[in-house]
Amino acid sequence: MKEIGRKVWAIAGGHIPLQSHGREPELTSHDKLCMLNTSNHEAQVEITLFYAERDPVGPYQVSVPARRIRHVRFNDLIDPEAMPLDTDYGYVIESNVPIVVQFSRLDSSQQGNAIVLTTAYAVD
Amino acid sequence: MKEIGRKVWAIAGGHIPLQSHGREPELTSHDKLCMLNTSNHEAQVEITLFYAERDPVGPYQVSVPARRIRHVRFNDLIDPEAMPLDTDYGYVIESNVPIVVQFSRLDSSQQGNAIVLTTAYAVD
Amino acid sequence: MKEIGRKVWAIAGGHIPLQSHGREPELTSHDKLCMLNTSNHEAQVEITLFYAERDPVGPYQVSVPARRIRHVRFNDLIDPEAMPLDTDYGYVIESNVPIVVQFSRLDSSQQGNAIVLTTAYAVD
Amino acid sequence: MKEIGRKVWAIAGGHIPLQSHGREPELTSHDKLCMLNTSNHEAQVEITLFYAERDPVGPYQVSVPARRIRHVRFNDLIDPEAMPLDTDYGYVIESNVPIVVQFSRLDSSQQGNAIVLTTAYAVD
């Protein structure tokens, strides 16, 4: 299949709640980055995090194999540094091949789930 | 009415929860593909599923009659093979006529519903 | 303020749940059409509904005054005919001046709310 | 990092629920404007609010420092006037440098949370 998507994406509305209810790890509150790479080349992806009161942090480096999806929880990004909980953030994704990027959230901070899924803003 | 939409769409953030609460089948957790065909021709649609750790699967073939919508639960896609639950996936939709594609989710894995509706990424 | 938006919009994933919990009418399950008209001219809007198993119905006619928003519950569309509950639908919006269209849902079919807000697909 | 985004954005579907359950202020029902400024210049942002039955109000002025995000709760917009609760609204965002704008909602008007995150409509 041919390459689908863009090489640069952005999200402005990140926030991982502090609290969770329910079975771990499935129902732990999390923000998730969802990437689809339809191309025949591994995607080398760099994530830069933006905060309200400090300088940007990154790049965090992840890869998406050819003809695969990869879902990454922000809680699992630890190099160059783990993300703080209960903090607003945004991010920019840069890939060497076109990919499709969506953003999802599970908020289990009260009883019951609340969920979000939205396509990231396609930049280039 | 004239043709509206695109012929290729993509979603990166698929995931059908394992658990459900409430009346079946309305409140069974599901991911749903929502297609609108405003044209005067039946849309022949092919769905290719992408996974994190195996090769793409498909095409799954569905049709949308002229001047109709069609909502398809991923749980109901069984040919060439049924989808695993509790597994991350993405997909690409290819149609012979322009259609509009949205993606919805009902997550009833804890008490109460959680829902999502988002427009798929329009490729071509 | 200048005109902002498009004249034709579409949604594929409509569905009004049958059940509701909580205070009426605020917490009655509903799909809602949200329109923003920044222009200095009243927007004359025509809504055509598409179903899975019957011909399209419409147009439903609504107006949005100059420099105003208007939110319309689909439950309140009754001319040329009231919409059935618990039925999948899609729709196309056509306006004589550019507007911005979003779609929201409140699902209170189980205890607690579930909500959706998404920008409609911008056609023209 | 280079400038990313657009200078004009719009949202049609604003509504802050009257009721809240849970810890304040985290779980107070709110609509939130999420802005990402990747550029090296402070973004001067003007927000104009549109209502169903009265003239537009604004501009509300906020800034986003260079290489920062900023999340603003609509409940906190008080100059030129505080926003009414339980009222439909829309808005237009105008910035002097390109930014990325998303819109989120926390609805805790019944037990449990309901959440929304969507990218605003990119105008210019």
Side-chain angles (χ1 to χ4, degrees), chain A residues 15-21 29 86 107-111, chain D residues 19-30 73 106-108 110-113:
Chain A
H15 185 96
I16 306 172
L18 189 59
Q19 305 279 332
S20 298
H21 287 85
S29 291
D86 200 26
D107 176 344
S108 62
S109 60
Q110 296 210 76
Q111 291 216 322
Chain D
Q19 305 278 332
S20 298
H21 287 84
R23 297 185 310 281
E24 297 182 349
E26 311 95 281
L27 299 179
T28 303
S29 292
H30 62 263
R73 289 189 184 204
L106 172 68
D107 176 344
S108 62
Q110 297 210 77
Q111 292 216 321
N113 288 349

PDB file of all heavy atoms in Angstrom, chain A residues 15-21 29 86 107-111, chain D residues 19-30 73 106-108 110-113:
ATOM      1  N   HIS A  15      -3.302  16.178  28.695  1.00  0.00           N
ATOM      2  CA  HIS A  15      -3.397  16.253  30.157  1.00  0.00           C
ATOM      3  C   HIS A  15      -3.684  14.861  30.696  1.00  0.00           C
ATOM      4  O   HIS A  15      -4.737  14.296  30.400  1.00  0.00           O
ATOM      5  CB  HIS A  15      -4.498  17.209  30.600  1.00  0.00           C
ATOM      6  CG  HIS A  15      -4.528  17.396  32.093  1.00  0.00           C
ATOM      7  ND1 HIS A  15      -3.919  18.447  32.717  1.00  0.00           N
ATOM      8  CD2 HIS A  15      -5.044  16.629  33.079  1.00  0.00           C
ATOM      9  CE1 HIS A  15      -4.074  18.343  34.019  1.00  0.00           C
ATOM     10  NE2 HIS A  15      -4.758  17.234  34.267  1.00  0.00           N
ATOM     11  N   ILE A  16      -2.779  14.314  31.498  1.00  0.00           N
ATOM     12  CA  ILE A  16      -2.997  12.995  32.093  1.00  0.00           C
ATOM     13  C   ILE A  16      -3.514  13.172  33.514  1.00  0.00           C
ATOM     14  O   ILE A  16      -2.829  13.752  34.355  1.00  0.00           O
ATOM     15  CB  ILE A  16      -1.695  12.174  32.136  1.00  0.00           C
ATOM     16  CG1 ILE A  16      -1.074  12.098  30.738  1.00  0.00           C
ATOM     17  CG2 ILE A  16      -1.964  10.783  32.696  1.00  0.00           C
ATOM     18  CD1 ILE A  16       0.311  11.468  30.720  1.00  0.00           C
ATOM     19  N   PRO A  17      -4.757  12.699  33.786  1.00  0.00           N
ATOM     20  CA  PRO A  17      -5.301  12.867  35.140  1.00  0.00           C
ATOM     21  C   PRO A  17      -4.457  12.128  36.182  1.00  0.00           C
ATOM     22  O   PRO A  17      -3.792  11.133  35.883  1.00  0.00           O
ATOM     23  CB  PRO A  17      -6.696  12.245  35.049  1.00  0.00           C
ATOM     24  CG  PRO A  17      -7.023  12.206  33.599  1.00  0.00           C
ATOM     25  CD  PRO A  17      -5.711  12.035  32.896  1.00  0.00           C
ATOM     26  N   LEU A  18      -4.536  12.610  37.411  1.00  0.00           N
ATOM     27  CA  LEU A  18      -3.750  12.036  38.501  1.00  0.00           C
ATOM     28  C   LEU A  18      -4.375  10.750  39.028  1.00  0.00           C
ATOM     29  O   LEU A  18      -3.684   9.823  39.427  1.00  0.00           O
ATOM     30  CB  LEU A  18      -3.675  13.083  39.622  1.00  0.00           C
ATOM     31  CG  LEU A  18      -2.745  12.821  40.793  1.00  0.00           C
ATOM     32  CD1 LEU A  18      -1.318  12.667  40.311  1.00  0.00           C
ATOM     33  CD2 LEU A  18      -2.835  13.987  41.778  1.00  0.00           C
ATOM     34  N   GLN A  19      -5.699  10.693  39.008  1.00  0.00           N
ATOM     35  CA  GLN A  19      -6.422   9.609  39.653  1.00  0.00           C
ATOM     36  C   GLN A  19      -6.883   8.563  38.649  1.00  0.00           C
ATOM     37  O   GLN A  19      -7.129   8.886  37.494  1.00  0.00           O
ATOM     38  CB  GLN A  19      -7.682  10.159  40.353  1.00  0.00           C
ATOM     39  CG  GLN A  19      -7.414  11.272  41.327  1.00  0.00           C
ATOM     40  CD  GLN A  19      -6.941  10.773  42.666  1.00  0.00           C
ATOM     41  OE1 GLN A  19      -7.290   9.665  43.051  1.00  0.00           O
ATOM     42  NE2 GLN A  19      -6.138  11.562  43.362  1.00  0.00           N
ATOM     43  N   SER A  20      -7.042   7.311  39.126  1.00  0.00           N
ATOM     44  CA  SER A  20      -7.613   6.246  38.305  1.00  0.00           C
ATOM     45  C   SER A  20      -8.495   5.357  39.166  1.00  0.00           C
ATOM     46  O   SER A  20      -8.268   5.214  40.369  1.00  0.00           O
ATOM     47  CB  SER A  20      -6.492   5.381  37.686  1.00  0.00           C
ATOM     48  OG  SER A  20      -5.662   6.140  36.827  1.00  0.00           O
ATOM     49  N   HIS A  21      -9.514   4.762  38.525  1.00  0.00           N
ATOM     50  CA  HIS A  21     -10.315   3.714  39.146  1.00  0.00           C
ATOM     51  C   HIS A  21     -10.351   2.530  38.192  1.00  0.00           C
ATOM     52  O   HIS A  21     -10.445   2.717  36.990  1.00  0.00           O
ATOM     53  CB  HIS A  21     -11.766   4.177  39.380  1.00  0.00           C
ATOM     54  CG  HIS A  21     -11.909   5.160  40.487  1.00  0.00           C
ATOM     55  ND1 HIS A  21     -11.719   6.505  40.303  1.00  0.00           N
ATOM     56  CD2 HIS A  21     -12.200   4.990  41.809  1.00  0.00           C
ATOM     57  CE1 HIS A  21     -11.912   7.141  41.467  1.00  0.00           C
ATOM     58  NE2 HIS A  21     -12.205   6.259  42.385  1.00  0.00           N
ATOM     59  N   SER A  29      -5.835   5.828  34.013  1.00  0.00           N
ATOM     60  CA  SER A  29      -5.981   7.046  33.200  1.00  0.00           C
ATOM     61  C   SER A  29      -4.721   7.252  32.357  1.00  0.00           C
ATOM     62  O   SER A  29      -3.609   7.169  32.874  1.00  0.00           O
ATOM     63  CB  SER A  29      -6.170   8.275  34.102  1.00  0.00           C
ATOM     64  OG  SER A  29      -7.422   8.240  34.745  1.00  0.00           O
ATOM     65  N   ASP A  86      -0.957  15.091  35.878  1.00  0.00           N
ATOM     66  CA  ASP A  86      -1.805  16.230  36.244  1.00  0.00           C
ATOM     67  C   ASP A  86      -1.221  17.557  35.762  1.00  0.00           C
ATOM     68  O   ASP A  86      -1.320  18.583  36.449  1.00  0.00           O
ATOM     69  CB  ASP A  86      -1.996  16.249  37.769  1.00  0.00           C
ATOM     70  CG  ASP A  86      -3.225  17.087  38.148  1.00  0.00           C
ATOM     71  OD1 ASP A  86      -4.140  17.200  37.318  1.00  0.00           O
ATOM     72  OD2 ASP A  86      -3.249  17.610  39.268  1.00  0.00           O
ATOM     73  N   ASP A 107      -9.954   8.598  30.780  1.00  0.00           N
ATOM     74  CA  ASP A 107      -9.993   9.278  32.072  1.00  0.00           C
ATOM     75  C   ASP A 107     -10.877   8.451  33.003  1.00  0.00           C
ATOM     76  O   ASP A 107     -12.090   8.397  32.838  1.00  0.00           O
ATOM     77  CB  ASP A 107     -10.571  10.683  31.869  1.00  0.00           C
ATOM     78  CG  ASP A 107     -10.742  11.446  33.180  1.00  0.00           C
ATOM     79  OD1 ASP A 107     -10.719  10.826  34.258  1.00  0.00           O
ATOM     80  OD2 ASP A 107     -10.921  12.671  33.106  1.00  0.00           O
ATOM     81  N   SER A 108     -10.246   7.783  33.960  1.00  0.00           N
ATOM     82  CA  SER A 108     -10.996   6.988  34.936  1.00  0.00           C
ATOM     83  C   SER A 108     -10.840   7.604  36.318  1.00  0.00           C
ATOM     84  O   SER A 108     -10.841   6.907  37.326  1.00  0.00           O
ATOM     85  CB  SER A 108     -10.510   5.526  34.913  1.00  0.00           C
ATOM     86  OG  SER A 108      -9.141   5.456  35.285  1.00  0.00           O
ATOM     87  N   SER A 109     -10.743   8.950  36.353  1.00  0.00           N
ATOM     88  CA  SER A 109     -10.475   9.618  37.626  1.00  0.00           C
ATOM     89  C   SER A 109     -11.706   9.638  38.525  1.00  0.00           C
ATOM     90  O   SER A 109     -11.583   9.834  39.727  1.00  0.00           O
ATOM     91  CB  SER A 109      -9.964  11.043  37.386  1.00  0.00           C
ATOM     92  OG  SER A 109     -10.910  11.798  36.678  1.00  0.00           O
ATOM     93  N   GLN A 110     -12.893   9.487  37.930  1.00  0.00           N
ATOM     94  CA  GLN A 110     -14.069   9.214  38.748  1.00  0.00           C
ATOM     95  C   GLN A 110     -14.549   7.815  38.355  1.00  0.00           C
ATOM     96  O   GLN A 110     -13.968   7.164  37.502  1.00  0.00           O
ATOM     97  CB  GLN A 110     -15.165  10.259  38.491  1.00  0.00           C
ATOM     98  CG  GLN A 110     -14.736  11.659  38.912  1.00  0.00           C
ATOM     99  CD  GLN A 110     -15.890  12.544  39.355  1.00  0.00           C
ATOM    100  OE1 GLN A 110     -16.394  12.382  40.461  1.00  0.00           O
ATOM    101  NE2 GLN A 110     -16.285  13.485  38.515  1.00  0.00           N
ATOM    102  N   GLN A 111     -15.606   7.342  39.010  1.00  0.00           N
ATOM    103  CA  GLN A 111     -16.104   6.011  38.654  1.00  0.00           C
ATOM    104  C   GLN A 111     -16.642   6.044  37.238  1.00  0.00           C
ATOM    105  O   GLN A 111     -17.270   7.004  36.813  1.00  0.00           O
ATOM    106  CB  GLN A 111     -17.207   5.609  39.615  1.00  0.00           C
ATOM    107  CG  GLN A 111     -16.647   5.351  40.999  1.00  0.00           C
ATOM    108  CD  GLN A 111     -17.367   4.212  41.669  1.00  0.00           C
ATOM    109  OE1 GLN A 111     -18.573   4.072  41.520  1.00  0.00           O
ATOM    110  NE2 GLN A 111     -16.632   3.385  42.375  1.00  0.00           N
TER     111      GLN A 111
ATOM    112  N   GLN D  19     -24.069  22.127  36.430  1.00  0.00           N
ATOM    113  CA  GLN D  19     -23.828  21.270  37.573  1.00  0.00           C
ATOM    114  C   GLN D  19     -22.449  20.629  37.515  1.00  0.00           C
ATOM    115  O   GLN D  19     -21.913  20.398  36.437  1.00  0.00           O
ATOM    116  CB  GLN D  19     -24.864  20.135  37.601  1.00  0.00           C
ATOM    117  CG  GLN D  19     -26.296  20.604  37.574  1.00  0.00           C
ATOM    118  CD  GLN D  19     -26.799  21.020  38.928  1.00  0.00           C
ATOM    119  OE1 GLN D  19     -26.327  20.519  39.928  1.00  0.00           O
ATOM    120  NE2 GLN D  19     -27.736  21.949  38.961  1.00  0.00           N
ATOM    121  N   SER D  20     -21.920  20.295  38.712  1.00  0.00           N
ATOM    122  CA  SER D  20     -20.666  19.550  38.799  1.00  0.00           C
ATOM    123  C   SER D  20     -20.737  18.568  39.971  1.00  0.00           C
ATOM    124  O   SER D  20     -21.421  18.807  40.958  1.00  0.00           O
ATOM    125  CB  SER D  20     -19.480  20.504  39.040  1.00  0.00           C
ATOM    126  OG  SER D  20     -19.325  21.413  37.956  1.00  0.00           O
ATOM    127  N   HIS D  21     -20.016  17.455  39.831  1.00  0.00           N
ATOM    128  CA  HIS D  21     -19.796  16.528  40.939  1.00  0.00           C
ATOM    129  C   HIS D  21     -18.302  16.286  41.059  1.00  0.00           C
ATOM    130  O   HIS D  21     -17.615  16.173  40.052  1.00  0.00           O
ATOM    131  CB  HIS D  21     -20.469  15.173  40.688  1.00  0.00           C
ATOM    132  CG  HIS D  21     -21.952  15.210  40.807  1.00  0.00           C
ATOM    133  ND1 HIS D  21     -22.765  15.594  39.763  1.00  0.00           N
ATOM    134  CD2 HIS D  21     -22.785  14.933  41.843  1.00  0.00           C
ATOM    135  CE1 HIS D  21     -24.042  15.526  40.146  1.00  0.00           C
ATOM    136  NE2 HIS D  21     -24.084  15.135  41.394  1.00  0.00           N
ATOM    137  N   GLY D  22     -17.812  16.145  42.301  1.00  0.00           N
ATOM    138  CA  GLY D  22     -16.413  15.763  42.495  1.00  0.00           C
ATOM    139  C   GLY D  22     -15.562  16.916  42.984  1.00  0.00           C
ATOM    140  O   GLY D  22     -16.037  18.033  43.184  1.00  0.00           O
ATOM    141  N   ARG D  23     -14.292  16.622  43.172  1.00  0.00           N
ATOM    142  CA  ARG D  23     -13.340  17.587  43.738  1.00  0.00           C
ATOM    143  C   ARG D  23     -13.240  18.849  42.894  1.00  0.00           C
ATOM    144  O   ARG D  23     -13.118  18.770  41.666  1.00  0.00           O
ATOM    145  CB  ARG D  23     -11.921  16.978  43.780  1.00  0.00           C
ATOM    146  CG  ARG D  23     -11.750  15.770  44.641  1.00  0.00           C
ATOM    147  CD  ARG D  23     -10.280  15.377  44.663  1.00  0.00           C
ATOM    148  NE  ARG D  23      -9.712  15.284  43.320  1.00  0.00           N
ATOM    149  CZ  ARG D  23      -9.881  14.260  42.503  1.00  0.00           C
ATOM    150  NH1 ARG D  23     -10.627  13.227  42.853  1.00  0.00           N
ATOM    151  NH2 ARG D  23      -9.327  14.260  41.302  1.00  0.00           N
ATOM    152  N   GLU D  24     -13.239  19.990  43.542  1.00  0.00           N
ATOM    153  CA  GLU D  24     -12.943  21.250  42.861  1.00  0.00           C
ATOM    154  C   GLU D  24     -11.471  21.560  43.011  1.00  0.00           C
ATOM    155  O   GLU D  24     -10.873  21.215  44.042  1.00  0.00           O
ATOM    156  CB  GLU D  24     -13.755  22.400  43.475  1.00  0.00           C
ATOM    157  CG  GLU D  24     -15.236  22.227  43.327  1.00  0.00           C
ATOM    158  CD  GLU D  24     -15.996  23.419  43.899  1.00  0.00           C
ATOM    159  OE1 GLU D  24     -15.370  24.246  44.582  1.00  0.00           O
ATOM    160  OE2 GLU D  24     -17.211  23.505  43.668  1.00  0.00           O
ATOM    161  N   PRO D  25     -10.855  22.270  42.040  1.00  0.00           N
ATOM    162  CA  PRO D  25     -11.444  22.676  40.768  1.00  0.00           C
ATOM    163  C   PRO D  25     -11.250  21.649  39.673  1.00  0.00           C
ATOM    164  O   PRO D  25     -11.791  21.830  38.590  1.00  0.00           O
ATOM    165  CB  PRO D  25     -10.641  23.937  40.444  1.00  0.00           C
ATOM    166  CG  PRO D  25      -9.263  23.625  40.947  1.00  0.00           C
ATOM    167  CD  PRO D  25      -9.474  22.769  42.187  1.00  0.00           C
ATOM    168  N   GLU D  26     -10.513  20.550  39.913  1.00  0.00           N
ATOM    169  CA  GLU D  26     -10.178  19.634  38.814  1.00  0.00           C
ATOM    170  C   GLU D  26     -11.418  19.083  38.142  1.00  0.00           C
ATOM    171  O   GLU D  26     -11.440  18.890  36.931  1.00  0.00           O
ATOM    172  CB  GLU D  26      -9.355  18.431  39.287  1.00  0.00           C
ATOM    173  CG  GLU D  26      -8.171  18.722  40.152  1.00  0.00           C
ATOM    174  CD  GLU D  26      -8.537  18.593  41.607  1.00  0.00           C
ATOM    175  OE1 GLU D  26      -9.162  19.554  42.127  1.00  0.00           O
ATOM    176  OE2 GLU D  26      -8.222  17.570  42.211  1.00  0.00           O
ATOM    177  N   LEU D  27     -12.446  18.767  38.944  1.00  0.00           N
ATOM    178  CA  LEU D  27     -13.603  18.073  38.390  1.00  0.00           C
ATOM    179  C   LEU D  27     -14.822  18.978  38.250  1.00  0.00           C
ATOM    180  O   LEU D  27     -15.940  18.517  38.048  1.00  0.00           O
ATOM    181  CB  LEU D  27     -13.912  16.828  39.227  1.00  0.00           C
ATOM    182  CG  LEU D  27     -12.758  15.815  39.241  1.00  0.00           C
ATOM    183  CD1 LEU D  27     -13.112  14.614  40.104  1.00  0.00           C
ATOM    184  CD2 LEU D  27     -12.402  15.362  37.838  1.00  0.00           C
ATOM    185  N   THR D  28     -14.613  20.283  38.362  1.00  0.00           N
ATOM    186  CA  THR D  28     -15.677  21.234  38.046  1.00  0.00           C
ATOM    187  C   THR D  28     -15.915  21.211  36.533  1.00  0.00           C
ATOM    188  O   THR D  28     -14.967  21.272  35.751  1.00  0.00           O
ATOM    189  CB  THR D  28     -15.265  22.658  38.475  1.00  0.00           C
ATOM    190  OG1 THR D  28     -14.961  22.647  39.869  1.00  0.00           O
ATOM    191  CG2 THR D  28     -16.380  23.655  38.194  1.00  0.00           C
ATOM    192  N   SER D  29     -17.174  21.113  36.130  1.00  0.00           N
ATOM    193  CA  SER D  29     -17.491  21.128  34.690  1.00  0.00           C
ATOM    194  C   SER D  29     -16.894  22.374  34.042  1.00  0.00           C
ATOM    195  O   SER D  29     -17.041  23.475  34.576  1.00  0.00           O
ATOM    196  CB  SER D  29     -19.008  21.145  34.481  1.00  0.00           C
ATOM    197  OG  SER D  29     -19.586  19.926  34.879  1.00  0.00           O
ATOM    198  N   HIS D  30     -16.228  22.174  32.898  1.00  0.00           N
ATOM    199  CA  HIS D  30     -15.647  23.337  32.235  1.00  0.00           C
ATOM    200  C   HIS D  30     -15.422  23.072  30.751  1.00  0.00           C
ATOM    201  O   HIS D  30     -15.292  21.935  30.328  1.00  0.00           O
ATOM    202  CB  HIS D  30     -14.315  23.737  32.885  1.00  0.00           C
ATOM    203  CG  HIS D  30     -13.260  22.672  32.796  1.00  0.00           C
ATOM    204  ND1 HIS D  30     -13.010  21.807  33.815  1.00  0.00           N
ATOM    205  CD2 HIS D  30     -12.390  22.342  31.818  1.00  0.00           C
ATOM    206  CE1 HIS D  30     -12.027  20.976  33.461  1.00  0.00           C
ATOM    207  NE2 HIS D  30     -11.645  21.283  32.252  1.00  0.00           N
ATOM    208  N   ARG D  73      -9.501  28.011  30.914  1.00  0.00           N
ATOM    209  CA  ARG D  73     -10.893  27.645  31.156  1.00  0.00           C
ATOM    210  C   ARG D  73     -11.783  28.836  30.835  1.00  0.00           C
ATOM    211  O   ARG D  73     -11.516  29.950  31.272  1.00  0.00           O
ATOM    212  CB  ARG D  73     -11.114  27.257  32.616  1.00  0.00           C
ATOM    213  CG  ARG D  73     -10.492  25.935  32.974  1.00  0.00           C
ATOM    214  CD  ARG D  73     -10.934  25.525  34.364  1.00  0.00           C
ATOM    215  NE  ARG D  73     -10.255  24.281  34.733  1.00  0.00           N
ATOM    216  CZ  ARG D  73     -10.717  23.422  35.623  1.00  0.00           C
ATOM    217  NH1 ARG D  73     -11.844  23.686  36.273  1.00  0.00           N
ATOM    218  NH2 ARG D  73     -10.059  22.317  35.890  1.00  0.00           N
ATOM    219  N   LEU D 106     -14.917  19.063  30.144  1.00  0.00           N
ATOM    220  CA  LEU D 106     -15.183  18.100  31.206  1.00  0.00           C
ATOM    221  C   LEU D 106     -16.595  18.360  31.684  1.00  0.00           C
ATOM    222  O   LEU D 106     -16.910  19.461  32.141  1.00  0.00           O
ATOM    223  CB  LEU D 106     -14.205  18.263  32.379  1.00  0.00           C
ATOM    224  CG  LEU D 106     -14.563  17.417  33.598  1.00  0.00           C
ATOM    225  CD1 LEU D 106     -14.383  15.931  33.326  1.00  0.00           C
ATOM    226  CD2 LEU D 106     -13.746  17.834  34.810  1.00  0.00           C
ATOM    227  N   ASP D 107     -17.444  17.351  31.570  1.00  0.00           N
ATOM    228  CA  ASP D 107     -18.822  17.457  32.032  1.00  0.00           C
ATOM    229  C   ASP D 107     -18.984  16.495  33.204  1.00  0.00           C
ATOM    230  O   ASP D 107     -18.982  15.286  33.025  1.00  0.00           O
ATOM    231  CB  ASP D 107     -19.766  17.093  30.886  1.00  0.00           C
ATOM    232  CG  ASP D 107     -21.236  17.074  31.300  1.00  0.00           C
ATOM    233  OD1 ASP D 107     -21.533  17.040  32.509  1.00  0.00           O
ATOM    234  OD2 ASP D 107     -22.085  17.069  30.397  1.00  0.00           O
ATOM    235  N   SER D 108     -19.090  17.051  34.399  1.00  0.00           N
ATOM    236  CA  SER D 108     -19.297  16.217  35.591  1.00  0.00           C
ATOM    237  C   SER D 108     -20.674  16.504  36.185  1.00  0.00           C
ATOM    238  O   SER D 108     -20.866  16.431  37.392  1.00  0.00           O
ATOM    239  CB  SER D 108     -18.182  16.484  36.614  1.00  0.00           C
ATOM    240  OG  SER D 108     -18.213  17.828  37.044  1.00  0.00           O
ATOM    241  N   GLN D 110     -23.389  14.819  35.899  1.00  0.00           N
ATOM    242  CA  GLN D 110     -23.911  13.637  36.575  1.00  0.00           C
ATOM    243  C   GLN D 110     -22.708  12.930  37.204  1.00  0.00           C
ATOM    244  O   GLN D 110     -21.580  13.384  37.087  1.00  0.00           O
ATOM    245  CB  GLN D 110     -24.634  12.696  35.591  1.00  0.00           C
ATOM    246  CG  GLN D 110     -25.847  13.352  34.964  1.00  0.00           C
ATOM    247  CD  GLN D 110     -26.946  12.345  34.607  1.00  0.00           C
ATOM    248  OE1 GLN D 110     -27.668  11.877  35.455  1.00  0.00           O
ATOM    249  NE2 GLN D 110     -27.073  12.058  33.315  1.00  0.00           N
ATOM    250  N   GLN D 111     -22.953  11.845  37.929  1.00  0.00           N
ATOM    251  CA  GLN D 111     -21.836  11.136  38.537  1.00  0.00           C
ATOM    252  C   GLN D 111     -20.944  10.563  37.451  1.00  0.00           C
ATOM    253  O   GLN D 111     -21.412  10.083  36.429  1.00  0.00           O
ATOM    254  CB  GLN D 111     -22.356  10.010  39.416  1.00  0.00           C
ATOM    255  CG  GLN D 111     -23.082  10.531  40.627  1.00  0.00           C
ATOM    256  CD  GLN D 111     -22.839   9.647  41.816  1.00  0.00           C
ATOM    257  OE1 GLN D 111     -22.790   8.429  41.674  1.00  0.00           O
ATOM    258  NE2 GLN D 111     -22.655  10.236  42.972  1.00  0.00           N
ATOM    259  N   GLY D 112     -19.642  10.590  37.690  1.00  0.00           N
ATOM    260  CA  GLY D 112     -18.706  10.156  36.667  1.00  0.00           C
ATOM    261  C   GLY D 112     -18.397  11.320  35.746  1.00  0.00           C
ATOM    262  O   GLY D 112     -19.141  12.293  35.665  1.00  0.00           O
ATOM    263  N   ASN D 113     -17.292  11.213  35.048  1.00  0.00           N
ATOM    264  CA  ASN D 113     -16.887  12.258  34.117  1.00  0.00           C
ATOM    265  C   ASN D 113     -17.360  11.943  32.712  1.00  0.00           C
ATOM    266  O   ASN D 113     -17.495  10.777  32.338  1.00  0.00           O
ATOM    267  CB  ASN D 113     -15.355  12.343  34.023  1.00  0.00           C
ATOM    268  CG  ASN D 113     -14.727  12.929  35.252  1.00  0.00           C
ATOM    269  OD1 ASN D 113     -15.418  13.468  36.103  1.00  0.00           O
ATOM    270  ND2 ASN D 113     -13.412  12.820  35.338  1.00  0.00           N
TER     271      ASN D 113
END
